[in-house]
Amino acid sequence: MNKKEIAHIRKQFKMDNELMKIFDILNVYIMKETNEVYHWERNPFELVDREKQELYMGNFKKLLTGELDHKLFELKFQEEAEDPSKVLLHQAIQTGDPEEWQDLMMLLVNKMLADTTYERDTVITFVRGQYYRPTKARNDAAEETGNDEVFGHPFILCSVNSTEKQRKALLFDYVEREFKYNVIVDPIIKLSTPEQGFFYPSVTDNYSDVNRVLYATGKSNDPNERFISDVLNAERSVTAMEEREIFEDIVKEVAGEQLDSATIAHVYEEIHQVIESHQDEEEPAKLDYTDVERVLTASGVDNVTKEAVERAFETIVDDKNYELKANSVIPKFTSKSIKIDTKVATITISPQDLRYIKQVSFQGKRCIMIEVDEDAVIEGFTLTTETLLEKAD
């Protein structure tokens, strides 16, 4: 599943969309004290108040917002799992009976409650529906449009949202003309910040893939391993942060612990070029040990050989044929995604500008030197330029 396919699905979650039909919605309220189902209700989505529909649509769109391997993870189902959720979900997506679908979703809820303690009251929302994808692009000049022939893709979406108590407040009653204390005790369901959920089935080459599921987490690089393994019965995926750590360990294994800023900048530029050259391809760019060898050699790292990089792959990931996702191993190239923390200041800089920073020794002290093209201004004052010379021994 690539970002274009996710973006297409996310875009369908809007009101009055002829390419999206949601049939039923099931809400399950979990009490934190007892960790049990306190209340549930299922309704045809079209009978839900329009204001509520808009809130739910925003929740579903938010759930599917984020980068792959950061907040969204396409997962394979486990080959051998007891009472596999793959079978349960497949049955649920095929049934046309709302009650049978509801019963199957409640079985998933039971899995979510097993051996789990929720810190707050929690609402689990399921919807079943179908989105449609035109078989060809719309042609406004022709009488026939791309929507005349579409493929239907049935789906199930689940969103897990915590609740919070309403804040104490003082209200003014216009009718009685008096100030009143807010006594509302009903919890607020945080639909704008889903904690996790999933979309089934996944999509491969614009076709539904029942062997995979798209898992979503509310915190970047922090998937819930128990939910993935015990609820979805899926195989865990490597996060972008973990992928970057693997790449860093491989480079350290080959080049050593220390590199100058210019070399690091060259490494990032080489990988960025690889990413740019694969922009028009469906699959994201990947780096095997031969690619990493080429990147390090082109960046000026000394004594790099293909054999050394191959051994590093075997040492770090125990697989010389492992492929790293290029997007995951470098910070965002055009934004200030690199943070340099020191005792006196925090510097943020983009990878493409890393070449202008150096760590130098001056009078026996380590210093960060930043090359600039213009005068630095602090609180309206232009700094004077000093010429620093080290005394000869």
Side-chain angles (χ1 to χ4, degrees):
M1 196 169 192
N2 58 48
K3 61 182 181 180
K4 291 182 180 178
E5 291 165 335
I6 295 174
H8 172 79
I9 295 170
R10 182 174 61 245
K11 188 169 64 175
Q12 305 314 312
F13 286 99
K14 57 186 177 183
M15 301 295 291
D16 306 319
N17 180 17
E18 61 182 7
L19 294 179
M20 168 72 77
K21 174 67 175 178
I22 298 180
F23 305 125
D24 293 282
I25 182 168
L26 171 66
N27 283 309
V28 183
Y29 196 97
I30 309 298
M31 294 288 289
K32 68 174 182 178
E33 289 86 359
T34 61
N35 203 44
E36 295 178 349
V37 175
Y38 177 74
H39 175 73
W40 63 265
E41 63 179 35
R42 171 182 54 83
N43 293 295
F45 194 74
E46 62 183 7
L47 298 184
V48 176
D49 293 342
R50 186 175 178 86
E51 291 78 10
K52 291 182 181 179
Q53 289 183 6
E54 291 176 348
L55 290 173
Y56 285 126
M57 287 295 191
N59 171 230
F60 305 151
K61 184 173 291 187
K62 184 70 175 180
L63 181 73
L64 299 177
T65 299
E67 295 185 51
L68 278 167
D69 301 320
H70 290 262
K71 297 185 73 173
L72 300 173
F73 300 86
E74 186 184 34
L75 308 176
K76 294 181 180 179
F77 288 107
Q78 298 171 7
E79 291 292 335
E80 298 179 0
E82 296 183 9
D83 190 21
S85 293
K86 173 184 175 180
V87 175
L88 187 155
L89 287 167
H90 192 255
Q91 291 175 346
I93 209 168
Q94 287 186 316
T95 184
D97 184 353
E99 291 191 3
E100 182 182 359
W101 172 77
Q102 166 195 299
D103 293 341
L104 291 167
M105 294 303 96
M106 293 303 291
L107 291 176
L108 268 182
V109 172
N110 292 336
K111 282 191 170 188
M112 294 181 197
L113 295 178
D115 302 321
T116 301
T117 301
Y118 289 95
E119 296 180 358
R120 301 180 182 87
D121 288 2
T122 299
V123 176
I124 304 171
T125 301
F126 297 95
V127 291
R128 70 181 188 101
Q130 185 163 258
Y131 70 94
Y132 302 90
R133 197 177 188 99
T135 58
K136 53 188 176 181
R138 179 182 291 272
N139 183 359
D140 294 331
E143 292 184 2
E144 185 181 20
T145 67
N147 286 353
D148 291 335
E149 186 178 359
V150 295
F151 281 129
H153 298 267
F155 70 88
I156 293 171
L157 181 143
C158 169
S159 178
V160 180
N161 300 77
S162 63
T163 65
E164 62 181 359
K165 294 181 179 179
Q166 297 195 43
R167 296 178 180 178
K168 297 178 180 179
L170 193 65
L171 306 178
F172 180 72
D173 188 328
Y174 277 101
V175 177
E176 299 293 335
R177 298 195 180 202
E178 63 178 349
F179 295 96
K180 291 183 177 180
Y181 177 68
N182 181 12
V183 294
I184 300 174
V185 295
D186 296 333
I188 297 173
I189 302 170
K190 299 165 66 176
L191 290 177
S192 60
T193 54
E195 294 194 344
Q196 63 181 338
F198 65 84
F199 181 92
Y200 174 83
S202 181
V203 176
T204 301
D205 296 331
N206 295 327
Y207 290 95
S208 295
D209 186 348
V210 296
N211 295 311
R212 299 171 186 262
V213 60
L214 182 67
Y215 168 79
T217 178
K219 296 181 180 179
S220 185
N221 289 293
D222 189 25
N224 185 320
E225 294 190 20
R226 184 204 161 270
F227 191 96
I228 290 172
S229 176
D230 298 343
V231 177
L232 294 176
N233 304 133
E235 298 176 2
R236 190 189 182 283
S237 178
V238 177
T239 68
M241 182 180 295
E242 291 168 338
E243 194 95 310
R244 186 177 302 176
E245 290 172 354
I246 291 171
F247 174 73
E248 291 171 356
D249 288 341
I250 288 172
V251 174
K252 290 176 184 177
E253 188 76 16
V254 176
E257 293 284 337
Q258 293 186 334
L259 291 175
D260 59 59
S261 59
T263 302
I264 298 172
H266 278 127
V267 170
Y268 289 162
E269 287 175 0
E270 288 289 331
I271 296 175
H272 179 67
Q273 289 177 11
V274 173
I275 296 170
E276 288 288 293
S277 65
H278 286 74
Q279 283 284 43
D280 297 330
E281 298 182 15
E282 294 293 332
E283 288 294 320
K286 294 184 179 181
L287 305 170
D288 60 16
Y289 72 89
T290 61
D291 297 316
V292 173
E293 183 267 335
R294 182 193 60 77
V295 166
L296 295 181
T297 300
S299 302
V301 178
D302 296 329
N303 303 318
V304 177
T305 64
K306 191 171 294 185
E307 292 74 21
V309 180
E310 184 178 347
R311 285 195 302 271
F313 269 74
E314 290 179 336
T315 301
I316 303 303
V317 292
D318 197 25
D319 182 5
K320 70 176 183 179
N321 296 315
Y322 186 86
E323 292 183 320
L324 297 155
K325 292 181 180 178
N327 269 318
S328 298
V329 301
I330 65 172
K332 291 184 178 180
F333 196 74
T334 56
S335 64
K336 294 182 178 180
S337 53
I338 296 176
K339 182 182 292 186
I340 304 172
D341 285 316
T342 70
K343 183 172 65 175
V344 297
T346 297
I347 304 167
T348 57
I349 192 170
S350 66
Q352 59 187 342
D353 293 329
L354 191 58
R355 65 177 70 240
Y356 301 115
I357 285 189
K358 287 182 172 61
Q359 179 172 278
V360 299
S361 175
F362 177 71
Q363 296 182 351
K365 297 180 180 180
R366 283 192 300 268
C367 302
I368 295 291
M369 183 175 69
I370 304 175
E371 179 185 337
V372 295
D373 294 329
E374 66 284 329
D375 287 330
V377 178
I378 298 179
E379 297 295 331
F381 296 96
T382 301
L383 293 183
T384 58
T385 301
E386 303 177 39
T387 302
L388 302 178
L389 296 174
E390 293 239 37
K391 292 182 179 179
D393 293 333

